[in-house]
Amino acid sequence: MTEQTERSVAEARAATAPTSAAPPVTPDAAPPVTPDAAPPVTPVASHAAPALPHTTPDLTPTAPDLPPTTRPPLVEPRPLGAPRTWPRDFTDRLTAPLPGVRALARIAREGKLRPVPESLREIQELPFEPGPMPAAGPATIALTWAGHASWVIRIGGLTVLTDPVWSRKILGTPARVTPVGVRWEDLPAIDAVVISHNHYDHLDAPTLKRLPRHTPLLLPAGLAPWARRRGFTHVTDLDWWEAVELPAAGGAVRFDFVPAHHWSKRTLTDTCRTLWGGWMLTAPDGRRLHFAGDTGYGHWFEEIGRRYPGIDLAMLPIGAYDPRWMLRPVHTDPEEAVRACQDLGARALAPMHWSTFLLSAERPMEPLHRVRAAWAATGRPREDLWDLPVGASRVLDMPGADGPARPVGALDDER
């Protein structure tokens, strides 16, 4: 195991010391996530999802619910741009085996990685409502969905891009089915970019080439050399549970790199040579955003929620999930995304990773219909589901503010 994995196991053992009969948490040994593993979404009366019981027997056990005083303390932020030495690969972080030759042969035989042709008429229904981004001062948190996993986040006076992909086409996939929600020339100055992993639909070299080379890039472990070879000078790569801070007009904004159920590969010979994960952004006033990147459903969500209580908004993927026999370990379906939001204890959910590239076999509009139904089944406030059209924006209210904020370019439920 790597040093980071050993630290995670040690923390879990310490947390569960009073109940010595319980097995230690071993993230490395987590079995594949299956759709049947996610329990049904349960109604929640308040907007803050409570801790849910551990009823997923085929997921790696996690530490029991603990009082706040036993939470692992957040690590001290690391220096920006510090050179790092990483293991040769991160295969031990996988929580499910990668597809083998038989799986690839089955996909080639069945050809089921694209929607059926008759469903493509739904492309014209995909929500696309670009509009001006809201004004955002140092005390404002505002999000604009550019499509797929690309968000323009205004937080603490900074403008941050997540997994920016402004290209019309990426390697190995059909072209975009909706345009980018924000024209590049309409973006404010970019203060930082966070990347979740190195897959082409999340790490887009042509888009990054548009940025000034002094733009701070926050990357998963092992990816810094890729960025430095392309001339970027302010590059920081992090392991899970590590953090950095960026100065801002409203005070320091903290960026923590957190686990995800996924993998990495960019060439024929670099499988899992760099890490993958999500990001927790904490504003100077303590409000928190979780950007999941690409992930399947699993035990990490509850652990993230335990370490970072009071998450205000979770940006979670809801598309690219069919066929489930192949994609369930690495891509949440809409019901699993709602469950993950509850596991995180997040107040609101912003669906993403759909309506942009048709990467798998579900019908184009299916993710939206299913996530709305799953959210309604919980009984949580409708306004806490941020099902934005591509190009739309929304401002995050302060907790306890009177009345929900109406997103710019909001979707009607009839769609």
Side-chain angles (χ1 to χ4, degrees):
M1 290 191 296
T2 64
E3 177 185 352
Q4 171 65 31
T5 305
E6 291 171 349
R7 283 205 305 271
S8 297
V9 172
E11 289 173 357
R13 285 175 176 162
T16 57
T19 56
S20 57
V25 176
T26 53
D28 301 346
V33 180
T34 65
D36 298 332
V41 179
T42 53
V44 178
S46 70
H47 65 234
L52 299 171
H54 302 291
T55 58
T56 55
D58 62 340
L59 298 179
T60 300
T62 58
D65 295 329
L66 299 170
T69 55
T70 63
R71 242 187 255 116
L74 297 183
V75 299
E76 288 294 318
R78 293 189 57 84
L80 290 164
R84 308 292 297 273
T85 300
W86 300 111
R88 177 176 172 78
D89 65 57
F90 295 90
T91 306
D92 63 339
R93 308 292 183 87
L94 292 171
T95 48
L98 296 178
V101 174
R102 288 185 178 180
L104 298 177
R106 179 177 173 183
I107 280 293
R109 184 173 64 253
E110 296 178 356
K112 193 181 177 186
L113 269 181
R114 294 289 181 267
V116 294
E118 56 267 26
S119 73
L120 297 181
R121 65 174 62 95
E122 294 182 7
I123 290 175
Q124 62 187 353
E125 303 174 35
L126 292 172
F128 178 71
E129 298 181 17
M133 288 185 290
T140 302
I141 295 180
L143 280 75
T144 302
W145 189 32
H148 203 51
S150 303
W151 295 88
V152 184
I153 301 177
R154 320 285 287 282
I155 180 170
L158 299 180
T159 298
V160 180
L161 297 183
T162 68
D163 289 359
V165 178
W166 260 251
S167 297
R168 178 178 174 273
K169 194 176 188 307
I170 54 175
L171 185 66
T173 71
R176 309 175 75 104
V177 293
T178 52
V180 183
V182 184
R183 298 189 310 168
W184 188 264
E185 54 268 31
D186 293 337
L187 289 171
I190 304 304
D191 299 297
V193 173
V194 299
I195 299 294
S196 64
H197 65 297
N198 72 354
H199 288 161
Y200 282 87
D201 59 322
H202 294 259
L203 177 63
D204 183 47
T207 298
L208 294 183
K209 286 179 181 178
R210 299 186 181 197
L211 293 166
R213 294 304 184 266
H214 62 266
T215 305
L217 302 186
L218 306 182
L219 308 173
L223 201 49
W226 182 95
R228 292 190 178 112
R229 287 196 301 269
R230 285 155 180 80
F232 287 94
T233 56
H234 292 70
V235 179
T236 305
D237 56 348
L238 298 178
D239 206 335
W240 290 346
W241 312 123
E242 292 184 339
V244 294
E245 289 183 345
L246 292 179
V253 177
R254 179 178 170 114
F255 297 79
D256 290 70
F257 191 53
V258 297
H261 298 271
H262 206 63
W263 63 302
S264 69
K265 184 180 181 69
R266 200 166 175 87
T267 71
L268 294 175
T269 59
D270 68 348
T271 303
C272 296
R273 294 287 180 87
T274 63
L275 196 51
W276 52 90
W279 291 91
M280 189 71 66
L281 282 64
T282 304
D285 61 11
R287 285 181 290 171
R288 282 181 168 151
L289 309 177
H290 176 244
F291 169 69
D294 233 350
T295 183
Y297 178 82
H299 67 280
W300 281 129
F301 291 109
E302 285 189 348
E303 180 62 15
I304 293 168
R306 186 173 75 91
R307 292 179 183 237
Y308 303 91
I311 298 170
D312 292 278
L313 176 70
M315 291 159 271
L316 291 165
I318 66 166
Y321 51 79
D322 186 19
R324 296 309 287 150
W325 65 262
M326 180 177 182
L327 294 172
R328 72 169 60 99
V330 293
H331 287 164
T332 50
D333 65 23
E335 293 78 15
E336 289 168 336
V338 172
R339 174 70 186 185
C341 181
Q342 291 184 311
D343 291 351
L344 290 164
R347 177 163 62 103
L349 164 64
M352 64 174 186
H353 205 267
W354 79 285
S355 187
T356 308
F357 300 104
L358 300 183
L359 301 178
S360 61
E362 71 269 10
R363 300 175 69 94
M365 286 293 291
E366 180 180 296
L368 179 62
H369 299 322
R370 286 176 57 175
V371 78
R372 284 175 168 173
W375 188 264
T378 69
R380 300 175 71 172
R382 177 62 180 85
E383 63 268 17
D384 288 341
L385 178 62
W386 289 29
D387 49 351
L388 299 178
V390 174
S393 302
R394 185 165 175 177
V395 175
L396 180 69
D397 287 335
M398 293 290 291
D402 293 333
R406 177 67 171 170
V408 179
L411 285 172
D412 296 327
D413 284 340
E414 303 81 53
R415 285 194 179 178

